Amino acid sequence: MALSDFLGNTSVVESFKRQLSENRLAGSLLFVGISGVGKWTLAHFISKAVNCQKRLNDFCDECGTCLKINQQVHSDVRNYAPDGAFIKINQMREMSREIFFKPFEGRRRVFIIDNAHRLRVEAANAILKPLEEPPESSLLILMTDSPNDLLATIRSRCQQIHFAPFSEAELEKILRARSACSAQDLPLVGRISRGSLGKALSLDIIQYRQARQDLLAAMQACAGKFSYHEASQITESLISAKQKDLFNFKVDVLYNLLRDLFLLTVDPTTKGITNTDLHEELLSLSSSLGVKQVVGATRSLDHLMRGERRNLNKTLAVDRFLFKLSGSVNLQPI
C-alpha cells in the first residue's frame, strides 16, 4: 500500500504528497469530516510516510516500522482517544511532555488525538503550547466530526484539513467490491451512510431493517389516537442496559425516520427520503403528523443525545420524545 491507495478525497491526499516532498508539512493538523470518511486512516498513512524505512515521503507497509505502526506498538506513534466520555487532562499532560522528546526509533514522532471535540477544557488548555510551537521532530494530528465543539484556541492553532463525504456513486463502487451486501440493498446502504464509507462497510442491513420496523411501529402508535403503553414498550430497547451498545445505532435509525417524515410532511411528492422502500408507510404516517410534531420530536431526540454524556434520565427523555411526536405534550400516559 501507499498514500495513493487512500480512498476518496483525492485532492487532500495530493496536497499531503506535495507537502511531504517539499518538506513543509505543518506540525499541527486538524482533520475535520464526518465519522467514517477516512480521517483516522489518513493520519496513520501519514505517520508511516514520515517514518517508513524503505520509502521517502510515502510508505511500503512492509518494513518493520510500517508493521509496528499498523500494530500500534511503534514507540514514536501515539494514539489518544476519549477515556470514557472525555479525553482527560492526564492523557494530554502526558502527550505534552512526550511531544518534546526526540524520536526513539523513527524520523518523526506522531501524536494522533481522535474525537478531539471530547477534550475537556483543562485537557485542551494543556496542549495549547505544543500546538502553537510543535518541535520539528513531532507531528500532532487532531481529528473531529464536530469542529464547533472544539475551543477556538485549538482550531486557530491548527491547519484545518476538511474531508468531503463520499458521493453515492463512489460508495456504491466500493461496496460492490468490498461488501457482502446484495445489489438490491446497495442503494439503501448508500443513503443510510450519507457519505461515510466506514458506516457503509460496517452496517448490518438486516439489523437496520429490524430496528427500523420496531421504531416505526412506535412512531405509528404516536399518530392518531396516542397509545403511550404500546409506544413505550417498543422504545424500552433504547434505554435497556442489555442493549446499551445499540443505543447510538437505534437513535440513528430514528433520525433517519424523522428526517423522512419531515420531508414528506412538507412535500408529499418528494423523492429525497432515505427509506424509499417504506415510502407508502411513511407517507401515511406523515399525513397524521404535523411539522410541529416532527420538529418537536427531533429536538427531543437531540436533547436525549446531548444529555447522554451527562447521565440524563433516559426514561424521561424518551417519554418526552413520544409525547412531542404525538402532539399530546400536556396529556397523561394511557
Side-chain angles (χ1 to χ4, degrees):
M1 293 188 71
L3 282 170
S4 57
D5 292 310
F6 183 77
L7 297 173
N9 285 281
T10 304
S11 60
V12 170
V13 177
E14 291 303 317
S15 175
F16 274 120
K17 285 182 178 179
R18 289 193 300 272
Q19 292 178 53
L20 287 165
S21 65
E22 296 169 7
N23 193 31
R24 57 181 181 86
L25 186 65
S28 300
L29 302 170
L30 175 60
F31 287 4
V32 179
I34 63 172
S35 177
V37 80
K39 302 185 299 296
W40 189 90
T41 298
L42 188 56
H44 280 262
F45 276 17
I46 291 171
S47 70
K48 289 185 282 190
V50 298
N51 284 301
C52 182
Q53 295 170 323
K54 292 185 177 181
R55 295 184 184 176
L56 184 63
N57 302 322
D58 209 332
F59 65 96
C60 65
D61 232 18
E62 298 174 349
C63 67
T65 292
C66 288
L67 294 177
K68 280 187 176 182
I69 293 174
N70 287 342
Q71 297 164 10
Q72 298 188 39
V73 294
H74 196 285
S75 60
D76 290 321
V77 179
R78 298 292 179 89
N79 299 277
Y80 295 90
D83 179 9
F86 297 97
I87 299 172
K88 306 294 175 57
I89 188 170
N90 288 341
Q91 294 174 278
M92 294 299 93
R93 283 175 175 167
E94 175 195 75
M95 192 212 72
S96 295
R97 291 192 298 268
E98 291 273 345
I99 200 170
F100 291 102
F101 293 164
K102 295 288 185 181
F104 294 107
E105 55 182 314
R107 295 189 299 275
R108 196 165 186 178
R109 306 203 74 195
V110 183
F111 299 84
I112 301 170
I113 303 177
D114 198 6
N115 289 303
H117 56 279
R118 298 285 188 87
L119 284 161
R120 286 191 178 277
V121 173
E122 300 85 353
N125 288 334
I127 64 172
L128 292 181
K129 182 177 179 180
L131 275 176
E132 188 164 13
E133 300 176 357
E136 291 185 2
S137 60
S138 293
L139 173 63
L140 185 55
I141 304 176
L142 284 69
M143 297 179 288
T144 181
D145 57 13
S146 187
N148 292 333
D149 288 335
L150 272 171
L151 292 179
T153 48
I154 294 287
R155 297 196 304 268
S156 65
R157 284 167 167 77
C158 300
Q159 178 185 339
Q160 293 191 35
I161 311 298
H162 292 267
F163 289 68
F166 285 81
S167 68
E168 287 189 17
E170 287 175 321
L171 274 180
E172 187 164 337
K173 181 179 179 181
I174 297 169
L175 289 173
R176 286 186 184 279
R178 297 191 173 197
S179 172
C181 191
S182 69
Q184 181 182 0
D185 284 330
L186 285 179
L188 177 60
V189 172
R191 289 192 300 273
I192 294 168
S193 303
R194 302 198 188 287
S196 169
L197 177 59
K199 186 173 182 178
L201 290 172
S202 63
L203 181 68
D204 183 333
I205 192 62
I206 297 176
Q207 185 182 53
Y208 176 86
R209 288 184 187 279
Q210 182 59 59
R212 183 182 64 173
Q213 203 60 47
D214 291 343
L215 293 169
L216 180 61
M219 297 170 82
Q220 288 168 332
C222 293
K225 186 178 180 181
F226 177 35
S227 174
Y228 170 80
H229 178 71
E230 182 181 348
S232 62
Q233 275 192 320
I234 298 171
T235 54
E236 276 182 5
S237 65
L238 272 178
I239 54 179
S240 169
K242 294 180 180 179
Q243 298 189 39
K244 186 177 180 180
D245 56 330
L246 292 177
F247 175 77
N248 288 331
F249 172 74
K250 291 189 175 183
V251 168
D252 281 345
V253 176
L254 261 182
Y255 272 123
N256 280 336
L257 291 170
L258 285 167
R259 175 185 177 275
D260 287 352
L261 285 174
F262 176 80
L263 293 175
L264 289 167
T265 303
V266 173
D267 178 10
T269 65
T270 184
K271 303 297 183 183
I273 68 171
T274 298
N275 299 284
T276 54
D277 54 325
L278 293 183
H279 181 270
E280 294 304 316
E281 293 170 77
L282 290 168
L283 185 61
S284 175
L285 180 57
S286 70
S287 66
S288 302
L289 300 170
V291 171
K292 184 177 179 180
Q293 289 168 253
V294 176
V295 171
T298 303
R299 288 175 176 168
S300 293
L301 201 56
D302 291 340
H303 174 72
L304 172 61
M305 288 304 292
R306 288 195 302 271
E308 199 259 334
R309 298 178 197 166
R310 303 192 304 269
N311 296 318
L312 179 77
N313 187 317
K314 288 183 180 179
T315 300
L316 292 179
V318 171
D319 281 352
R320 177 181 176 179
F321 165 81
L322 296 175
F323 279 104
K324 284 286 186 180
L325 185 63
S326 71
S328 307
V329 180
N330 297 318
L331 297 181
Q332 295 298 315
I334 60 174

